[in-house]
Amino acid sequence: MNRWLKPLAAVAMSAGLLTACATPNASVEIQGEVWFKERIALPPQAVLSVQIQDVSKMDAPAVVLAAFERDDVTTPAPFGFVIPRDQFEAGHTYSVGAKITLDGKLMFINTQSYPIDLGDSAPISVLVQRVGG
């Protein structure tokens, strides 16, 4: 099994366990991968941060519903979230945000929006672009 599929399989299994003992549609599973085009190995201190954000208000900062960080960043890097459905408000817009930092300095970030469709469980592929030179 591909190295990045193992964590996704674990997320899928745990999501199944969570939903098995809850009411139908009680949670939303959001999964995918973050990747970059550069063929480089990142230092082991590099940190990947992925967030599920409510981006409904144009003139306000995004509200973070869920987040995680990990080091040992490779490309592609899998992510997975299981979030209670009642955390999502009707009529709001949600997206995935990702960045890679090194010693607190931004290295890569997504430069386009990756919207979340609560009715679609297809994996989301998030491209992060190198910042600066």
Side-chain angles (χ1 to χ4, degrees):
M1 183 180 279
N2 191 319
R3 185 168 95 178
W4 65 270
L5 285 177
K6 290 178 185 174
L8 285 180
V11 168
M13 287 186 349
S14 63
L17 293 175
L18 288 174
T19 56
C21 55
T23 57
N25 300 322
S27 62
V28 173
E29 182 178 351
I30 301 165
Q31 63 180 343
E33 63 187 18
V34 175
W35 62 285
F36 51 88
K37 292 180 181 179
E38 289 78 0
R39 294 197 178 274
I40 59 172
L42 296 178
Q45 310 90 316
V47 176
L48 169 65
S49 302
V50 180
Q51 297 181 336
I52 304 302
Q53 306 168 336
D54 181 340
V55 294
S56 301
K57 297 181 181 175
M58 298 281 281
D59 295 332
V63 175
V64 177
L65 269 66
F68 90 93
E69 291 186 343
R70 70 174 258 203
D71 54 9
D72 187 29
V73 182
T74 59
T75 187
F79 65 85
F81 295 92
V82 178
I83 303 171
R85 186 168 288 279
D86 63 3
Q87 297 296 306
F88 296 94
E89 295 184 47
H92 282 225
T93 303
Y94 299 93
S95 70
V96 177
K99 65 182 178 180
I100 299 172
T101 57
L102 178 62
D103 299 327
K105 186 174 179 180
L106 186 62
M107 291 181 68
F108 292 86
I109 192 164
N110 63 292
T111 58
Q112 69 181 54
S113 177
Y114 292 92
I116 296 169
D117 178 351
L118 297 177
D120 184 0
S121 61
I124 300 169
S125 181
V126 179
L127 171 65
V128 290
Q129 308 245 342
R130 192 169 194 137
V131 175

